[in-house]
Every structure is written in C-alpha cells, then in structure tokens.
Amino acid sequence: MERAESIEYCGHESHHHHEGHIRDYAVIAVSAVLVGLYWFEILPSIFGMDTALLAAIICGYPIVSEAVKAILQRGDTKVGLLVSIAIIASIAIGEYFAAAEVALIMTIGELLEHMTLEKSNSALRKLAELAPLKARLIRDGVEEEIAAELVAVGDRLLVKPGDKIPVDGVVTSGFAAVDQSTITGESLPLERREGDSVFGGTIAVTGSIEIIATKVGQDTALGHIIKMVKEAQDSKAPIARMIDRWANWFVPLSLAIATLVYLVTGDIVRGVTILIVFCPCAMLLSTPTAVAAAIGAAARRGILIKGGEILETAGRVDTIILDKTGTLTVGKPRLKDIRCYGGWQREQALALAAGIEKRSEHHLAKAVMQAADAVGAQYVEPEIWKPVVGQGVAAELQGTRYLLGNKTLLESYHIAISEEQEQYCAGEQALGGTVVFFVAGEEVAAILVIEDPVREEAARVLNKLYPAQVSNVVLLTGDAAAAGKAIGARLNIPVVHGDLLPTDKVEYVKKYQQAGHKVAMIGDGVNDAPALAKADIGMAMGYTGTDIAIEAADIALLADDLRKIPEAIAVSRRAYRTINQNIIVANVINVAAIGFAAWGLLGPVAAAIVHNAGAILVVLNSARLLRVATAVK
Ligand code: ADP
Ligand code: MG
C-alpha cells in the first residue's frame, strides 16, 4: 500500500515515488548540464535563448507550478511561493544564472531529503510487517500458537487475558471484557460472551474466550499496528508544530523586508537576494528529517517509537522504573520446588494448578503447566475461572474454591499460612524465587517455588544506565518484596518495592513525576499497562510482552533485549540534540545571510548557495542519526 508523504520541502508537496525521482533526476541532469555549459562559456545561448534562462525554466517550472497548484487547490501559501517569487523575480531582473542556480539546488536538496526519508520509511514498513501478532489456534482440542496471518476464516481460536484478538470473529464460548478503544475509540471495556462479535486488534482485558474467525487479513483491524507505525512519522514533535505555524508568516514577512530593502537601497537585486535567503527551508527540515531518521534507525534496531513527540520526551528521561518478572527476568520460569500440605499429593496439586493456569497469560502459568506435564498429570479444569491481575487466579470446581497466586491474594481471602510455611517462603524468596500458593478451600494445599533466570545482559545494562544516563533506577514488582530485593541486590538496583498491585505501580510512577522527574516505565505484563500509560515514556518488552502492555507503551522493544533501553534513550537524546543543532544552524545561516544580502555583500547566486548549503547541512546532519552506534556491548 502506498502512502502519500506529507512532509514538505520548501512548500512543494512531495512527489517522491519512483517516477517522481526519475523526473527529478532528469530535470537535475538537464539543467546541471545547461548551467555548466553557460558557466564555462561553452554555450552561452541555445537557439538565441540564454542557456541559463533555459535551465531556470526547466528546473524552475516544476517548483513554480507546484506552488501555484498549492495556492489554488489548498490556499497553501507556504514558502514554495517564496522560492517561486525569487525565481521569477531573478528572471525578471535578468539574473538568469541565479534563477537557474536557485531552482537547481532546490531540486537537488529536495531529492536528497526524500532519499533520506525513504530510507527510514522502508525500515519502518518492514518492521511493522514483523510485529509479533500471534493467534492461539485450537485444532482437535489442542492449542497451538500460530502467526495471526495464518488464521483462516472458520478457524477456532482461544483468546486469553491480555491477548490482542488476532482477527474479527464471533465468540463461541467463554466470557471476556474487551477493550475496543483501538477500533471504536470507546475506552470502557465491553463484555463479550457467546454470540457476540469481536474485532481483530481489540484486546481481551480480562477473561478468556473462544472465537471463530469471520474475517482475516486486510479486512480486519489486524493492520492496525502497521498503520500506526506508518503514522508515527507523521506525528510531529512540538517544535515542528511551532515551525509550521510560523511558516505562514515567512512569506509576507520576507516580501515586506525585501520591499523595504529595495526601497531603502534602490537596488532590486538586493531585494531578490533577500527573498532567496529568507526561505526557511533548513528550518522546516530541521525537525522532520531528524525525527524520521531517528525513528527509522531505532526501528531497524527493534525499537518501535510511536511518534516524533516521544523522542523529545524520551531524550529527557532521568528515572527508570523496571518491572521484575518478564522484564528483568527472561520470562521463562521453571518450577524449582513444590511442597504439599494437608495430605495433598504433588501430582494431584499440579493437575489442578495446571488446569487453573491453562487459561492464564502469565509467565508463571507456563512453569506450572510444564511441571504438570513433566509428571504426566492430567489437567483438572475448573468450572469458574477468575483472574486477579497482579495477584493470581481464583477458581471453583464442584463447590470448592481454589486460589493460585501470591500472598496478597491469600490475604484478600483471609487465608492464613503457618510459621513453617512462612519460613520456607522467606528462604526461597531470599534466593530470588517466586512463591505461588495453591489453596484448596481454606487451606494451603501446596507451595510452589518458581525460578525465572535474570536476563543475562541485565547487570551490564543497569550499570550503563545508572548513574551515567539516569539518576534513579527503581524496581517495582507484584511479586513478594523479599524476592524483588534479592534480584535488586544482585543487579545493584538501589530502590525496590514489592507486593504491588497495578495501581500501586501507577502511584510510584506519579510519586517520581511529582518530584519533578521524567519517568520511563519498562514492563511486560497486563499489570504493568496502567503504569506504562501513566509514565512519561512507557516501554514494553515487545516479544514476551502482552499486547495490552505494547498498546499502552510509547516505545515497544521488539528485540526482547534490555540493551534496547539505553539504546532507545540514546537515540532519543541524539535526535533531540540533532534537532537543536539543526535549528541553530538554520537560523544562524538565515539571519546572517539576510544581513549580508541587505548590505549588498551577497549576490543572488551566492545567496542560493549559502541558503541551500544550510538546508543540505541540516539533512545530512539528520542522516547521521541513521547510523547510530550500538549503545552497549
Ligand atoms: P511483576 O510485577 O514482577 O512482573 P506480576 O505482577 O506479573 O510480577 O505478578 C505478581 C505476582 O502475582 C506473581 O509473583 C505471582 O505470585 C502472582 N500471580 C499473578 N498471576 C499469577 C498466575 N496466573 N499464577 C500464579 N501466580 C500469579
Ligand atoms: Mg511482569
């Protein structure tokens, strides 16, 4: 699908599909040759027409005609008009060479800019196609994870809490609260049950449903992420918006100053020169080129930045808040130990626990199911299943209530644990293990200790971040504080808070924001989504992360590698710096050139060179962002 580019260079709407490029090349080649022939006095005129004038017409015509079209069709009087006036005025006063030169350099500059932009656009497009969108296909009663594109109409699919529904479909069983804000803009989750239809691209916030696919491929909302990515570059940084508004003043202002200079000095050449240097091409290019290059460079490194304004904020982050499970740890948990109580057998406990976890999206669920598979236990599935985000699951089977989760969950159901159990848990948590309680009725039936290895790169990444890049690093976990502290100590994380609910995580984010910090929250789970949305910058682990977390985040780290965190910050800082450099360069050149032109120290040709040198300098400076060095070895 082709997308119309909306970034303008000196006011003429871009036409840089390949035919556009070929036309540009042809125009540039022909006029460059003509200008050369004129300059070296090989061919001062062709068929009695001044060679430079011919070049000016060939090269200037597309610019002038597009400026005229812009006015007639859209009432758009941006700076394309200024360039056109300068070209026409130069021709009118006999400065053919200057007119040709201005037009030629404008066209070259535009081409250069578009080539830079296209490079970053194609990187984005490729990435969008790779965005992980999975489906849980049910075939012969067995769940199988497949790519969403492979889903066919009529397929039966399982949707777990936090999943993005892969295609449009109709619910056949189960019950879920579905967040359809991506499609309908309605932010309140809708309850969906048997017979209801669901949209691809919406999210099952809680609950689990089975659906039958009714629409697949491009017909669905499935293309949503892809579109979003493509739109990312269109969203402008605040600086760019400011410049846009400003641009409308340039035409009248420059005409006024040019007229004034002409009236004062009586020199029309000076007036035309002012028009040429006044055009703020470099200024207009300063932000969009840097934003596009930075987003493109980041995208190729598995860092999906959802908009230009995010770069500006991400560059100022000074506080990093990390989630533990699935973010600092690899998200591949393994059952380390299980202790049974009250006459329960290991197999029996695992059979029920696995039956309860079967519908869960949590990393820990995999560990429980694997452990059950390992001992050959047949899953016993509950009749009622209710997830408690960040705490576990409550279930019911044949009148008995079962709980599977952390201590907070037990406390909310007033389940007590013994001294011995307490000590056992404390010992395992001190080693960084996650303790999951399995409660049957009112009694603890088993305690499961689950280990999830810390990501291999975590320590190095944190050393890189703190204190060099940021001044605060905080670990927030829904797991027990003791387990969090054990991991925190291993990784030199100064501040650790545990036993948190999703809303507690939001409170900590707010606390740091109120203290004047720019907070980046990094998480992966359903329970992190509110904090990701609240933080100045939310970063989601895109590979292990749940769709709801990715949706809530500003930046998705598709490469599932913590090294992307300092990289994302570094790219943003560089982009921000580049934008500022560009603006300074553009302004200094413009203001100086206007001054020199007014004093008669700059002729139209020199003005065009100086002016375009500024624009090209800005584009090249932005293009440097495409080659961002790896931040952490
Ligand atoms: P973190 O914030 O470190 O990523 P989570 O908030 O995802 O951790 O989980 C918090 C705690 O809630 C877990 O440590 C676990 O004890 C409990 N929990 C949540 N969901 C489940 C589940 N499906 N099965 C077992 N325990 C769960
Ligand atoms: Mg997590």
Side-chain angles (χ1 to χ4, degrees):
M1 210 171 50
E2 279 297 331
R3 187 176 71 99
E5 294 300 326
S6 65
I7 294 176
E8 293 169 38
Y9 177 78
C10 284
H12 38 269
E13 200 70 27
S14 52
H15 46 81
H16 68 289
H17 303 303
H18 289 288
E19 320 87 71
H21 275 181
I22 290 164
R23 196 187 77 181
D24 282 349
Y25 287 133
V27 166
I28 289 169
V30 170
S31 11
V33 167
L34 292 176
V35 165
L37 289 174
Y38 177 85
W39 177 252
F40 294 108
E41 292 170 12
I42 298 166
L43 192 67
S45 67
I46 296 175
F47 306 126
M49 189 184 200
D50 192 290
T51 311
L53 176 58
L54 187 61
I57 291 169
I58 290 173
C59 207
Y61 175 75
I63 298 174
V64 174
S65 76
E66 286 198 38
V68 170
K69 238 192 294 174
I71 298 173
L72 294 182
Q73 289 174 357
R74 282 171 276 127
D76 185 348
T77 57
K78 293 243 181 85
V79 281
L81 182 61
L82 210 52
V83 179
S84 305
I85 295 172
I87 291 170
I88 292 167
S90 301
I91 292 173
I93 62 169
E95 288 281 352
Y96 302 147
F97 184 69
E101 228 265 349
V102 170
L104 182 59
I105 297 177
M106 286 305 172
T107 313
I108 292 174
E110 187 199 11
L111 192 66
L112 245 173
E113 177 225 342
H114 285 161
M115 274 157 35
T116 312
L117 280 180
E118 266 177 13
K119 219 161 133 195
S120 40
N121 286 356
S122 68
L124 262 179
R125 215 168 289 140
K126 244 183 275 158
L127 190 101
E129 282 154 18
L130 287 179
L133 277 173
K134 52 190 189 288
R136 305 175 199 274
L137 180 69
I138 302 175
R139 194 180 282 156
D140 306 324
V142 183
E143 179 195 329
E144 184 191 340
E145 258 191 40
I146 60 166
E149 306 95 88
L150 298 180
V151 174
V153 171
D155 278 351
R156 280 178 62 209
L157 306 166
L158 180 63
V159 178
K160 292 185 177 181
D163 277 357
K164 177 173 284 169
I165 299 170
V167 293
D168 291 2
V170 172
V171 180
T172 53
S173 71
F175 166 78
V178 178
D179 177 352
Q180 302 202 334
S181 54
T182 48
I183 306 265
T184 60
E186 170 64 65
S187 59
L188 279 181
L190 273 179
E191 299 191 341
R192 306 268 88 168
R193 53 182 83 238
E194 198 176 333
D196 290 339
S197 55
V198 287
F199 293 113
T202 61
I203 291 165
V205 185
T206 57
S208 170
I209 47 175
E210 263 190 31
I211 65 168
I212 288 209
T214 54
K215 274 188 193 157
V216 298
Q218 288 183 333
D219 308 337
T220 70
L222 189 63
H224 206 83
I225 281 190
I226 293 160
K227 219 169 79 209
M228 180 192 72
V229 172
K230 285 182 180 165
E231 280 163 6
Q233 357 168 323
D234 290 346
S235 78
K236 291 183 174 168
I239 290 178
R241 277 197 286 270
M242 188 194 75
I243 294 173
D244 265 2
R245 253 178 283 135
W246 210 19
N248 290 326
W249 289 95
F250 268 90
V251 176
L253 188 66
S254 54
L255 285 172
I257 292 183
T259 312
L260 191 71
V261 167
Y262 166 59
L263 291 177
V264 170
T265 63
D267 183 356
I268 193 158
V269 178
R270 286 193 204 185
V272 169
T273 309
I274 298 262
L275 287 184
I276 294 167
V277 287
F278 216 102
C279 163
C281 296
M283 191 67 170
L284 289 177
L285 288 172
S286 57
T287 311
T289 53
V291 165
I295 288 180
R300 278 188 313 192
R301 305 182 154 272
I303 302 167
L304 199 64
I305 300 173
K306 294 190 190 168
E309 67 281 4
I310 290 163
L311 284 171
E312 225 171 302
T313 319
R316 300 211 304 271
V317 160
D318 66 351
T319 297
I320 295 273
I321 298 185
L322 295 145
D323 163 59
K324 180 175 76 75
T325 323
T327 301
L328 279 178
T329 64
V330 293
K332 291 203 185 81
R334 206 180 46 83
L335 185 72
K336 181 190 169 198
D337 195 14
I338 174 169
R339 278 198 186 179
C340 297
Y341 302 90
W344 276 76
Q345 294 303 309
R346 176 177 296 216
E347 243 176 69
Q348 184 193 7
L350 283 174
L352 254 159
I356 292 170
E357 293 287 35
K358 199 181 151 195
R359 284 177 166 249
S360 172
E361 90 298 347
H362 205 272
H363 297 297
L364 295 175
K366 283 180 257 167
V368 175
M369 285 157 68
Q370 267 168 20
D373 293 341
V375 297
Q378 286 292 318
Y379 296 7
V380 180
E381 287 187 48
E383 290 149 0
I384 296 175
W385 186 86
K386 192 169 133 253
V388 186
V389 175
Q391 296 180 32
V393 183
E396 217 176 292
L397 179 63
Q398 287 162 1
T400 307
R401 192 194 58 218
Y402 296 94
L403 301 175
L404 194 67
N406 60 11
K407 200 153 167 221
T408 319
L409 183 70
L410 263 60
E411 277 161 7
S412 61
Y413 282 88
H414 308 288
I415 308 291
I417 61 171
S418 73
E419 191 70 24
E420 184 269 324
Q421 288 167 342
E422 186 96 57
Q423 271 173 14
Y424 170 62
C425 295
E428 292 295 342
Q429 284 167 343
L431 298 172
T434 296
V435 170
V436 175
F437 296 94
F438 174 58
V439 177
E442 301 299 317
E443 300 287 327
V444 174
I447 295 179
L448 294 80
V449 178
I450 295 173
E451 265 185 340
D452 189 9
V454 171
R455 286 180 197 269
E456 169 262 322
E457 75 275 13
R460 263 173 304 147
V461 166
L462 287 165
N463 280 335
K464 164 96 190 177
L465 279 168
Y466 177 79
Q469 268 193 327
V470 296
S471 47
N472 302 297
V473 175
V474 182
L475 172 57
L476 298 183
T477 180
D479 199 354
K485 291 224 159 77
I487 302 277
R490 242 187 272 169
L491 296 174
N492 275 327
I493 298 177
V495 186
V496 178
H497 299 284
D499 295 310
L500 302 179
L501 299 176
T503 48
D504 298 331
K505 291 193 177 190
V506 174
E507 287 308 313
Y508 277 105
V509 169
K510 270 197 215 158
K511 210 185 94 188
Y512 280 95
Q513 285 174 329
Q514 276 157 10
H517 294 290
K518 283 267 174 245
V519 178
M521 164 87 203
I522 298 117
D524 69 309
V526 175
N527 65 330
D528 298 318
L532 286 170
K534 177 70 200 166
D536 297 291
I537 293 294
M539 293 193 206
M541 304 302 289
Y543 193 75
T544 46
T546 49
D547 294 332
I548 195 170
I550 296 169
E551 198 76 20
D554 303 299
I555 298 178
L557 307 175
L558 295 191
D560 198 39
D561 180 341
L562 291 177
R563 281 177 296 189
K564 299 300 167 193
I565 300 169
E567 263 187 62
I569 294 176
V571 169
S572 305
R573 287 201 177 150
R574 285 197 51 183
Y576 193 58
R577 237 186 350 228
T578 304
I579 290 171
N580 284 325
Q581 288 165 355
N582 285 350
I583 288 173
I584 291 169
V585 166
N587 274 323
V588 166
I589 290 178
N590 264 29
V591 170
I594 291 167
F596 283 124
W599 252 253
L601 298 170
L602 205 66
V605 173
I609 292 173
V610 167
H611 164 80
N612 284 287
I616 288 168
L617 210 64
V618 160
V619 173
L620 291 179
N621 192 38
S622 294
R624 286 191 313 137
L625 288 167
L626 286 170
R627 292 178 269 115
V628 182
T630 317
V632 183
K633 301 281 134 21

